[in-house]
Amino acid sequence: MGVPTSVSSSAAPGLDLDAIRNDFPVLHQQVHGHPLVYLDNGASAQKPEAVIQMIADYYCKDHANVHRGVHTLSQRATDRYEGVRGKVRDFIHAESTNEIVYVRGTTEAINLVASSYGQAFVGPEDEVLVTEMEHHSNIVPWQLLCERTNATLKVVPFDDRGELILDRYRDILNERTRIVAITQVSNALGTINPVRDMIAMAHDAGAVVLVDGAQAVPHMSVDVTALDCDFYAFSGHKLYGPTGIGVLYGRESLLDAMPPWQGGGEMIMQVRFDGTEYNELPYKFEAGTPDIAGVVGLGAAIDYVAGLGLDLIDEHEQQLLAYATARAAEQSGMRVIGTASDKAAILSFELDGIHPHDVGTVLDHEGIAVRTGHHCAMPVMEHFGVPATVRASFGLYNTHAEIDRLFGAIDKAQELFGQ
Ligand code: C6P
């Protein structure tokens, strides 16, 4: 098969891929006798040595509970924990650390908003608006809210390229819309949605907007102030940081007006049986002992990614996507699912006559890790009439040579299944 010559096969200038790959110990191993090609970054990205070492360093030197002790270790742990809050604020261009709430991940962030904001501000006549391409984490919490409040869930459809139909969005928005919950980047299709415009339209209708940034933050620089979103959620583990830690950004005035979500230590100022006074922001939303090491690791991940530069990462990944897309166009029996004009580095596809799980198994035997399945986006699968897709999702350490390996393995799968 001919490889398109018009597509550059080099990394974006400024990214030293050999050095970057050396930062990730896990990449240097054989799987089924082949060098690992890790193309499942959309599910979870690998961790650089800087993150791994930062967590070890924290446990070796400074671990104690935060905000609870006058002793030195507790103060050191608190300094590290709060220092990262400032890093996160700067990373997403929030105005204040009061707007940065540590959570377990995107899922927890969305559940927090659906429960707390939803309970306080959504009623039976109201509508909550999501899109057809949301991850289940940005559907089910709103369904639960609607069940509890008798509000109505409205869904904005997308077209067959995987682009939201903005005219339908405009039609569905109305004065009863309380919350719009949209993903910035679809995990199943790669579509980058025009969230900035969508936020402005929602605000004109009087609704608040939550942006699911799980698949956006690792690939592009995010500015919550420029976006003017009300809530923004992301997970550390897709950003080359640890699992179990994520961030909810919330506009301060909204977080202030919201009731606490979980009760417990840390989120209180004063507890009495005749009434409890809650802590100030952001602690009002951080009940219990947090994932301190996770926060410390997230800080190292942010430093790592910011040190490389998100613009360069984006440029490199766009080159990978263009190369993979061009190769896919030449591969017979392959259908790409998600062909929006603006995409992040995700290639979802199916092969004629071969179940995606079988493709995934053949690829694994060639040392290539991809995700197969519904990607927790069943409505997307339903739209395209497929049970599942194969998804290659690229990260900052992936190379053009790895995409060649992917297509070599796809050839093998097609030969094996007689396609
Ligand atoms: N998507 C994927 O393979 P958590 O699990 O809370 O870190 O992230 C949930 C989530 C929310 N929104 C989007 C757009 C996502 O992609 C994800 C996680 C992974 O696509 C695991 S299902």
Side-chain angles (χ1 to χ4, degrees):
M1 195 201 74
V3 179
T5 49
S6 58
V7 179
S8 161
S9 64
S10 59
L15 276 195
D16 180 348
L17 275 193
D18 288 337
I20 287 173
R21 291 181 66 81
N22 278 334
D23 290 338
F24 290 82
V26 77
L27 297 179
H28 306 282
Q29 61 175 295
Q30 306 264 319
V31 169
H32 297 300
H34 303 279
L36 169 67
V37 173
Y38 189 78
L39 300 178
D40 195 17
N41 298 285
S44 198
Q46 298 298 348
K47 319 304 169 200
E49 191 78 44
V51 168
I52 299 165
Q53 285 311 323
M54 187 65 85
I55 295 169
D57 185 70
Y58 163 72
Y59 276 129
C60 288
K61 295 182 187 152
D62 294 336
H63 172 67
N65 213 328
V66 288
H67 304 137
R68 283 159 173 83
V70 292
H71 63 81
T72 301
L73 263 57
S74 176
Q75 286 182 2
R76 281 196 216 143
T78 303
D79 287 346
R80 282 187 184 247
Y81 182 79
E82 290 305 328
V84 173
R85 210 187 294 273
K87 268 190 217 301
V88 175
R89 175 202 56 208
D90 297 345
F91 184 63
I92 60 168
H93 303 277
E95 278 173 8
S96 160
T97 49
N98 291 348
E99 302 180 315
I100 306 299
V101 179
Y102 293 131
V103 288
R104 279 194 300 136
T106 309
T107 304
E108 187 167 88
I110 298 170
N111 276 279
L112 189 164
V113 177
S115 299
S116 168
Y117 187 89
Q119 175 197 320
F121 299 109
V122 176
E125 304 301 316
D126 294 335
E127 293 177 0
V128 175
L129 196 158
V130 297
T131 84
E132 192 188 2
M133 69 172 74
E134 297 309 315
H135 185 280
H136 298 163
S137 291
N138 204 22
I139 299 175
V140 184
W142 305 112
Q143 287 178 321
L144 292 170
L145 171 66
C146 289
E147 273 169 26
R148 278 199 303 268
T149 58
N150 281 324
T152 305
L153 191 71
K154 297 279 188 172
V155 183
V156 182
F158 59 77
D159 64 20
D160 289 344
R161 300 184 69 186
E163 293 182 353
L164 289 175
I165 303 174
L166 293 178
D167 286 345
R168 294 292 304 280
Y169 175 58
R170 210 172 277 113
D171 291 346
I172 295 171
L173 273 175
N174 68 78
E175 70 288 349
R176 288 186 303 281
T177 314
R178 281 294 143 270
I179 304 177
V180 172
I182 40 174
T183 193
Q184 191 167 7
V185 173
S186 156
N187 70 317
L189 301 168
T191 309
I192 301 175
N193 288 317
V195 287
R196 196 177 171 154
D197 292 347
M198 294 177 75
I199 291 164
M201 287 157 73
H203 285 168
D204 284 347
V208 301
V209 183
L210 176 142
V211 177
D212 173 348
Q215 298 290 345
V217 158
H219 304 295
M220 61 190 72
S221 66
V222 167
D223 184 331
V224 293
T225 304
L227 286 177
D228 199 27
C229 58
D230 301 289
F231 301 103
Y232 193 96
F234 68 93
S235 303
H237 69 101
K238 296 187 203 286
L239 185 64
Y240 309 95
T243 52
I245 187 69
V247 170
L248 170 67
Y249 158 83
R251 196 187 290 282
E252 189 162 354
S253 56
L254 294 179
L255 290 178
D256 248 338
M258 286 158 56
W261 180 41
Q262 296 179 326
E266 189 63 26
M267 52 73 70
I268 52 85
M269 196 75 91
Q270 184 85 254
V271 176
R272 293 208 185 87
F273 285 112
D274 59 3
T276 286
E277 198 186 318
Y278 306 124
N279 207 343
E280 59 197 22
L281 291 176
Y283 312 110
K284 183 171 87 174
F285 293 107
E286 291 181 3
T289 299
D291 182 356
I292 309 163
V295 168
V296 167
L298 174 66
I302 288 175
D303 283 344
Y304 184 82
V305 167
L308 293 176
L310 268 156
D311 290 345
L312 283 182
I313 292 170
D314 185 24
E315 197 180 327
H316 169 59
E317 292 178 351
Q318 283 299 328
Q319 286 180 8
L320 293 176
L321 179 67
Y323 183 61
T325 305
R327 289 216 52 167
E330 295 207 348
Q331 185 81 22
S332 63
M334 181 171 184
R335 173 163 81 123
V336 173
I337 304 220
T339 52
S341 58
D342 202 7
K343 276 184 67 175
I346 285 173
L347 191 78
S348 251
F349 61 91
E350 59 168 2
L351 298 180
D352 287 349
I354 318 177
H355 194 282
H357 291 317
D358 291 332
V359 179
T361 305
V362 174
L363 297 191
D364 179 52
H365 278 88
E366 296 295 312
I368 298 168
V370 292
R371 184 169 174 193
T372 60
H374 52 65
H375 314 297
C376 303
M378 282 182 172
V380 173
M381 302 299 118
E382 205 176 310
H383 180 110
F384 288 100
V386 295
T389 72
V390 183
R391 184 189 67 181
S393 50
F394 309 112
L396 57 85
Y397 36 62
N398 289 126
T399 65
H400 288 71
E402 290 182 313
I403 293 173
D404 291 338
R405 288 266 314 275
L406 169 68
F407 278 87
I410 288 172
D411 285 340
K412 257 200 182 149
Q414 289 178 320
E415 274 163 33
L416 206 67
F417 285 87
Q419 296 296 319

